[in-house]
Amino acid sequence: MPEGALGVARDNTGIAAGVTSSPGPDGPVWIASYMKSGNTWMRLMMMHLLKPHEESWTPDQQITVGTGPLPRSDIERASFIDTSLLSADEQDLLRPLLCDAEAREQPERCFFKTHDAYRFNRDGAPIHGSAPRQAALYLVRDPRDIAISLATFWNWSRERTVAFMNNPEGDLQGIPRHFSRQIFQKTLDWSAHIASWLEQDRVPTLPIRYEDLRAAPGHWLARALDFLEIRASTAEIDRAVQLTDFKRLKREEEAHGFSERFKPEIPFFRRGETGEGRALLDPELLASIERVHAPMMARLGYSAATGTGPP
């Protein structure tokens, strides 16, 4: 894929994603993605870069960059509201208030993780809040590879996982049970999730393909930092990349576990390879993904394996 295909300007694929204005040096940053697209990996890179004292961090500890106002327990302590009594619409009314309040209270520039689509509540407010000078790093990944990784991670069949990824009404409420501890999050389907972030014009957004990040992590980390107007030396970037090398993370997880596992017996850092979906998915599942998501796959440079999707 050409260097600029997910960059600042519209290219010949027609993608209109990227920087819509300078995000500024102090607003909250969203690290956003569909599930299993490199979100946690980017959070770890940012943690080791912004908080170098975390070098002794092991995967059984909380990641200290890229949290978010999602845990029900935190919300209930702050608001004295039993969130289990609220509908999804009512929870969405709380979201902007929670996001903006947390951004105001952070003594430093805050980073939030989100798997939610960029969307609006019934009052017309963006659920990610309206704090000034927001910015987003948006991670995208080949949906066929996501299907393999997500099925393993959630301990689902590949058929069920592909059906979820193709569901335009997809949400994470209790799927899997881990998300019951968080307030309502709507993912839509894979294509709609991406479009919701890349086509909105409120939050300047830098899209980063997982495949490109795997191939050149230092380059894309530097691109992200430049977009966010964060200064870092080449040595600091190299150090963050070294500390988040996938094989290293996998070894550390094997030794210590990982705080964000859904099931103790299922590793979080599995293989992280690119292209395995094309090789491992059954032909009918490949065809289903490529048929439903053909326009977005073409837009992002993901070629078809079955002839039912983009050339």
Side-chain angles (χ1 to χ4, degrees), residues 220-252:
W220 282 97
L221 179 56
R223 285 278 300 271
L225 295 172
D226 183 62
F227 170 69
L228 298 174
E229 299 184 24
I230 296 173
R231 295 182 179 179
S233 67
T234 300
E236 289 169 326
I237 292 172
D238 289 345
R239 173 184 171 277
V241 169
Q242 181 181 13
L243 290 172
T244 55
D245 175 78
F246 198 87
K247 291 181 179 178
R248 175 175 182 152
L249 292 173
K250 187 173 178 62
R251 288 195 306 270
E252 290 182 344

Side-chain angles (χ1 to χ4, degrees), residues 30 95-97 99-100 118 125-131 134 202-203:
W30 292 96
R95 288 284 294 279
L97 303 176
C99 293
D100 290 344
Y118 193 90
I127 65 160
H128 292 86
S130 299
Q134 294 186 67
R202 290 174 176 248
V203 179

Side-chain angles (χ1 to χ4, degrees), residues 1-310:
M1 189 174 191
E3 164 67 21
L6 286 183
V8 173
R10 181 187 297 272
D11 73 353
N12 60 11
T13 68
I15 189 166
V19 183
T20 56
S21 64
S22 175
D26 56 359
V29 177
W30 292 96
I31 301 179
S33 72
Y34 198 81
M35 293 72 68
K36 302 305 287 184
S37 298
N39 193 306
T40 299
W41 189 24
M42 178 58 73
R43 290 164 60 212
L44 285 168
M45 285 186 184
M46 287 293 179
M47 181 185 76
H48 284 299
L49 189 99
L50 300 174
K51 300 185 177 183
H53 59 279
E54 302 282 11
E55 186 166 357
S56 60
W57 178 90
T58 52
D60 56 319
Q61 302 171 27
Q62 182 181 2
I63 301 174
T64 57
V65 167
T67 56
L70 289 174
R72 290 180 182 271
S73 57
D74 293 352
I75 295 164
E76 290 171 356
R77 280 196 298 271
S79 66
F80 302 104
I81 295 173
D82 183 349
T83 57
S84 67
L85 301 177
L86 302 178
S87 67
D89 277 352
E90 290 168 334
Q91 292 177 53
D92 279 350
L93 292 174
L94 277 178
R95 288 284 294 279
L97 303 176
L98 295 166
C99 293
D100 290 344
E102 187 156 339
R104 286 194 303 269
E105 291 171 5
Q106 293 290 333
E108 301 173 340
R109 189 177 190 182
C110 55
F111 285 71
F112 294 144
K113 169 186 177 177
T114 183
H115 287 314
D116 222 310
Y118 193 90
R119 55 194 182 83
F120 299 82
N121 63 25
R122 70 187 186 198
D123 285 349
I127 65 160
H128 292 86
S130 299
R133 301 165 74 82
Q134 294 186 67
L137 305 177
Y138 187 82
L139 285 295
V140 300
R141 187 182 185 186
D142 190 315
R144 297 160 296 194
D145 290 346
I146 290 176
I148 296 293
S149 184
L150 191 58
T152 302
F153 187 51
W154 283 358
N155 197 27
W156 280 11
S157 70
R158 292 173 182 175
E159 291 78 8
R160 184 183 180 190
T161 304
V162 170
F164 178 85
M165 293 175 63
N166 291 350
N167 179 6
E169 297 299 323
D171 67 64
L172 298 180
Q173 191 69 9
I175 305 176
R177 188 175 302 173
H178 168 88
F179 289 107
S180 295
R181 299 195 296 270
Q182 301 178 357
I183 59 174
F184 180 75
Q185 300 165 74
K186 197 168 188 67
T187 57
L188 310 175
D189 61 44
W190 178 80
S191 292
H193 190 287
I194 295 169
S196 75
W197 278 94
L198 300 193
E199 294 173 6
Q200 56 80 28
D201 60 4
R202 290 174 176 248
V203 179
T205 299
L206 176 69
I208 301 172
R209 292 204 325 168
Y210 176 87
E211 295 78 12
D212 298 332
L213 187 63
R214 283 284 285 161
H219 169 78
W220 282 97
L221 179 56
R223 285 278 300 271
L225 295 172
D226 183 62
F227 170 69
L228 298 174
E229 299 184 24
I230 296 173
R231 295 182 179 179
S233 67
T234 300
E236 289 169 326
I237 292 172
D238 289 345
R239 173 184 171 277
V241 169
Q242 181 181 13
L243 290 172
T244 55
D245 175 78
F246 198 87
K247 291 181 179 178
R248 175 175 182 152
L249 292 173
K250 187 173 178 62
R251 288 195 306 270
E252 290 182 344
E253 182 183 9
E254 290 170 351
H256 301 283
F258 186 59
S259 62
E260 298 188 10
R261 280 184 183 178
F262 287 131
K263 293 180 178 291
E265 68 276 12
I266 298 177
F268 187 93
F269 300 104
R270 192 178 63 89
R271 297 178 68 179
E273 295 181 356
T274 61
E276 65 174 354
R278 294 170 67 115
L280 298 179
L281 284 173
D282 291 339
E284 59 270 22
L285 294 179
L286 271 178
S288 175
I289 290 174
E290 293 175 0
R291 181 175 59 253
V292 172
H293 303 293
M296 185 59 74
M297 289 178 66
R299 179 176 172 179
L300 299 176
Y302 296 127
S303 60
T306 64
T308 60

